[in-house]
Amino acid sequence: MLLCAASVFKVGHGNEPKRGQTEIVLALIGRRADVDKGLAVSRQTPLMIACRGGAPDIALLLIQHGAQINYQTPPKKQFNDKEGSGFALMSVCKVFPHQPTGETLSGSTLAHHVTCIQLLLAHRGQVDMQDAEGYTPLLCCCERGLLDLAEILLQHHADINHSGAHGMPGYRPLCAAMSQHHQQIVKILVQAGADTTTLCGRRINLNGKPFN
């Protein structure tokens, strides 16, 4: 029941949480519902589902009642992109599809998810936690073109030079952003001090000139 109550709406629909949804969650918690009980297959917890759905009020209730912010689901190959997101912070990043080059997210849906990320980080969410593929939230955001979310993660000192996703030692946030032509993200990474001497395991420059 708590898992159903934590599930609010789908990204892109622009819906607000159903009226009384927060009260239902609170009532279930009052009846000693397990705030960390996950789905039978994917093991996603109510907190992961609330964050993925962009429901910061419900996420806060769960955290206040002891939900494990950094709980990580066991890796399983049959999980799809959303189900295998691994932990609450990553569940927010992976719910958005890859953004077209030069475009940024906008609207109330983004605002809800930004609040979820800020909430998790404010309650000691591990900004550099990795999923089963070696992705950190920052690396995921850089690859998908999620500029707004990447900026928040950088403000919380995410590892700008994390590498190792897909078993590629040189695959870093800068490499991910460049490979997908997300120039705005490339710019903020370089400005934040990303290592520009190597990219995907090779020395690089841009148009014959080093990054600056």
Side-chain angles (χ1 to χ4, degrees):
M1 285 294 294
L2 188 55
L3 286 163
C4 293
S7 181
V8 182
F9 58 88
K10 295 182 179 180
V11 169
H13 288 208
N15 300 326
E16 297 293 332
K18 295 177 181 178
R19 187 175 182 179
Q21 198 91 13
T22 303
E23 288 76 9
I24 293 172
V25 171
L26 189 57
L28 290 171
I29 291 174
R31 293 185 180 184
R32 299 184 180 181
D34 187 350
V35 295
D36 286 320
K37 185 175 181 179
L39 293 169
V41 177
S42 69
R43 307 287 179 86
Q44 289 183 96
T45 65
L47 179 59
M48 293 180 195
I49 292 172
C51 289
R52 190 183 73 188
D57 291 345
I58 292 176
L60 180 59
L61 269 179
L62 294 167
I63 291 171
Q64 290 174 335
H65 288 84
Q68 296 183 51
I69 294 174
N70 296 311
Y71 170 79
Q72 190 163 20
T73 58
K76 288 187 177 182
K77 293 182 180 179
Q78 67 267 31
F79 288 174
N80 64 29
D81 196 28
K82 293 180 181 177
E83 291 178 339
S85 52
F87 50 97
L89 190 56
M90 186 68 89
S91 70
V92 182
C93 303
K94 282 195 171 184
V95 75
F96 290 102
H98 289 260
Q99 299 303 301
T101 302
E103 294 187 16
T104 57
L105 296 166
S106 61
S108 61
T109 298
L110 172 63
H112 290 309
H113 287 83
V114 165
T115 302
C116 284
I117 281 191
Q118 293 172 330
L119 178 65
L120 292 169
L121 293 172
H123 288 82
R124 299 184 180 181
Q126 295 180 16
V127 71
D128 289 322
M129 198 168 180
Q130 299 177 37
D131 68 8
E133 294 182 303
Y135 275 81
T136 62
L138 178 61
L139 182 55
C140 176
C141 289
C142 290
E143 185 176 89
R144 290 173 181 244
L146 307 178
L147 175 64
D148 310 79
L149 304 188
E151 288 179 325
I152 293 172
L153 294 167
L154 287 172
Q155 289 168 7
H156 285 80
H157 310 293
D159 184 358
I160 201 168
N161 292 314
H162 167 79
S163 64
H166 297 306
M168 297 169 59
Y171 193 69
R172 304 180 180 187
L174 184 59
C175 173
M178 290 191 68
S179 68
Q180 299 299 320
H181 309 290
H182 298 306
Q183 296 303 318
Q184 289 180 293
I185 293 182
V186 169
K187 182 178 179 179
I188 66 168
L189 290 173
V190 172
Q191 290 176 340
D195 179 9
T196 61
T197 62
T198 58
L199 185 64
C200 295
R202 297 174 295 178
R203 294 191 64 82
I204 63 159
N205 56 36
L206 189 61
N207 297 325
K209 299 179 180 179
F211 282 114
N212 53 43

